[in-house]
Amino acid sequence: MHPKNAIIAVTLNCNSRCIMCDIWKNRITHELSPSEYLKLPSSLVDINITGGEPFLRRDLVEIIKNMKTASPRARLIMSTNGFMPHRAAEDLPKIKLIDPSFALRVSIDGVGSAHDKIRRIPGGYKKILQTLEIARSVGIRDLGVSLTVMKQNIHEIPKVREFCKKNNFEFTITVATSSAIYFGADKGVFRPKDSKPLEKNLEALARDHFSTLHPKEIVRGWFVKQLLRYLKTGKRALPCEAGSGFFYMDSVGNVYTCHMKPWLMGNITRDSIQKIFGLNKFASNVAACNSCWMVCTAKSMIKKRLAFILPGVVPDVLNAVINNA
């Protein structure tokens, strides 16, 4: 088995206080040393570096260097809360030298005070803008924003989308999700309950993606429509490849099928890659799972099913173009 995609938390400590996530309550010590990341599979083509907050690691640059050494073909994309612009200014120039194609995603759940209220960091939004400015100034071109949909910020979706269009940032969304090993066990309560504003804003977002006529944006439009369907039905649009096509590794080396379920496959400090990925003993669990619909857990199957997805969205694309004409 040769996994292609990974979600890797380089730390599970955080300097935020997000209402829809409990990671900030952690006090994790003895996290993996940079050398342990040299054990990552060479087959990886996409690594989502996450946390906690990655910039809290003083050895972040060395970690990323070792990731690139272990998995030289991997596209490296890091998610940050953007609250440490001083660390971004210090680390990003060095990271870009390691990987000129390095990508950065910043969490924004609303514009200005709306974001600060959700993340509970006064002045946090201004720090995010500084981080994005620093990233762009050092030559990082692949910049984007991710928004977590909750009942508290449904009406912020078009505002954040417009912010991204104005600044030429990528834009992706997810929804508040429960996870006993990651976000917390009771975070589904933050999901929107009123279907009318949810439908209005997600449908509008999907149309906006479709109207660009850009293949990548069209797929994002399809993903958004399937997110709306998932919130209504609780069913994924595509099966999951957790534990085979991709995996999640936490900051002490535990390798799980994904970051939603406590399905532990092994630990990179004591188990070989062959042992960890030799047999997916959770395959039947994964096949029946509908715990999430996220870009990180759907992208591998989306790529495999593009030939089936794209023809199905032609009517949506045509309607979006006509309505925007």
Side-chain angles (χ1 to χ4, degrees), residues 53-72:
E53 173 47 51
F55 279 121
L56 287 174
R57 290 288 303 247
R58 297 297 301 180
D59 50 5
L60 178 63
V61 173
E62 188 178 357
I63 289 172
I64 290 175
K65 180 181 179 181
N66 288 348
M67 283 183 177
K68 196 63 177 175
T69 298
S71 308

Side-chain angles (χ1 to χ4, degrees), residues 126-256:
K126 291 182 179 179
K127 292 179 180 179
I128 290 171
L129 298 183
Q130 292 173 24
T131 296
L132 287 168
E133 183 179 348
I134 289 166
R136 182 161 275 172
S137 72
V138 301
I140 295 177
R141 297 181 179 180
D142 193 346
L143 293 172
V145 166
S146 60
L147 179 147
T148 300
V149 179
M150 294 167 279
K151 55 190 176 184
Q152 289 88 346
N153 68 346
I154 296 175
H155 299 293
E156 293 293 314
I157 296 173
K159 298 177 186 178
V160 178
R161 171 60 172 164
E162 194 58 35
F163 167 81
C164 290
K165 290 171 68 175
K166 180 179 178 181
N167 292 280
N168 197 29
F169 295 143
E170 303 282 339
F171 180 56
T172 59
I173 64 172
T174 185
V175 65
T177 302
S178 297
S179 168
I181 64 168
Y182 198 67
F183 300 114
D186 58 349
K187 301 310 172 184
V189 298
F190 290 98
R191 289 184 174 181
K193 299 294 190 297
D194 189 343
S195 62
K196 288 185 179 180
L198 178 66
E199 288 186 24
K200 175 184 176 182
N201 285 288
L202 290 189
E203 289 283 4
L205 177 59
R207 286 195 302 271
D208 192 32
H209 283 301
F210 289 140
S211 66
T212 66
L213 295 180
H214 190 285
K216 190 173 183 179
E217 290 292 304
I218 290 173
V219 172
R220 283 190 175 135
W222 177 84
F223 176 86
V224 171
K225 291 204 72 170
Q226 299 310 314
L227 177 61
L228 180 57
R229 174 180 173 271
Y230 172 77
L231 288 171
K232 290 180 176 180
T233 67
K235 302 293 184 181
R236 291 175 59 94
L238 295 173
C240 187
E241 287 192 313
S244 55
F246 73 89
F247 64 91
Y248 162 65
M249 187 174 79
D250 70 16
S251 63
V252 295
N254 292 317
V255 177
Y256 296 90

Side-chain angles (χ1 to χ4, degrees), residues 4-10 44-51 54 67 74-80 102-103 105 146 182 247-249 259 294-297 299:
K4 301 292 186 182
N5 304 283
I7 305 163
I8 298 178
V10 295
L44 291 175
V45 297
D46 193 291
I47 299 177
N48 184 343
I49 304 164
T50 187
M67 283 183 177
R75 172 179 180 254
L76 302 182
I77 179 169
M78 191 175 84
S79 300
T80 174
F102 183 78
R105 297 292 181 266
S146 60
Y182 198 67
F247 64 91
Y248 162 65
M249 187 174 79
H259 56 315
M294 295 182 172
V295 172
C296 54
T297 61
K299 68 169 61 176

